[in-house]
């Protein structure tokens, strides 16, 4: 397996695992949903489903590009929850981290977006378009 394949597998397993945790222990995710949004538990379940689908989709060549795009959109959609977590120093159950860590992790969302996008791109080098020759 090449580097991209390993990176893809790691991201896929991580997303599937985190998605499953949305159902096993939803309370931590529910706590960070901004108060202005309705039905936090439903939003946690919906995002969990899309995390699982995105992770699994990365592993299938036919769905890889769509899965990558879906994960990029998901990372953008959940960013307000990450901001809410940092602004209000919301700690997850049984885990306490310094407030600075909650702020420092926000720029990493860009890394996750880039990771998902890169992992979802075609492994084959693109061929240069042929230019018709006139003789």
């Amino acid at each position: 397996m090449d580097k991209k394949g390993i990176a893809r597998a790691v991201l896929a397993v991580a997303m599937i695992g985190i998605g499953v945790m949305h159902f096993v222990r939803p309370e931590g995710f529910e706590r960070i949903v901004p108060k202005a949004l309705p039905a936090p538990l439903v939003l946690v379940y919906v995002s969990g489903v899309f995390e699982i689908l995105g992770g699994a989709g990365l592993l299938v060549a036919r769905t890889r590009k769509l899965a990558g795009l879906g994960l990029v959109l998901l990372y953008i959609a959940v960013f307000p929850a990450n901001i809410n977590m940092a602004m209000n120093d919301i700690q997850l159950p049984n885990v306490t981290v310094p407030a600075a860590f909650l702020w420092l992790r926000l720029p990493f969302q860009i890394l996750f977006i880039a990771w998902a996008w890169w992992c979802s791109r075609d492994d084959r080098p693109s061929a240069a378009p042929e230019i018709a020759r006139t003789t």
Side-chain angles (χ1 to χ4, degrees), residues 33-79:
V33 174
K35 300 242 185 271
L37 296 176
L41 185 59
V42 171
L43 294 174
V44 167
Y45 289 156
V46 168
S47 63
V49 166
F50 283 107
E51 286 173 347
I52 293 167
L53 290 174
L58 285 178
L59 298 174
V60 179
R62 177 175 255 173
T63 60
R64 190 167 290 147
K65 285 184 181 180
L66 183 59
L69 176 60
L71 287 174
V72 166
L73 294 174
L74 178 69
Y75 294 145
I76 293 167
V78 300
F79 193 63

Side-chain angles (χ1 to χ4, degrees), residues 84-119:
N84 182 50
M85 187 177 193
M87 287 181 67
N88 296 300
D89 191 22
I90 299 171
Q91 300 290 327
L92 298 177
N94 303 318
V95 179
T96 303
V97 296
F101 175 77
L102 300 176
W103 286 100
L104 288 173
R105 70 182 263 247
L106 293 177
F108 280 94
Q109 204 76 2
I110 296 168
L111 175 66
F112 290 123
I113 288 169
W115 187 5
W117 188 254
W118 179 68
C119 285

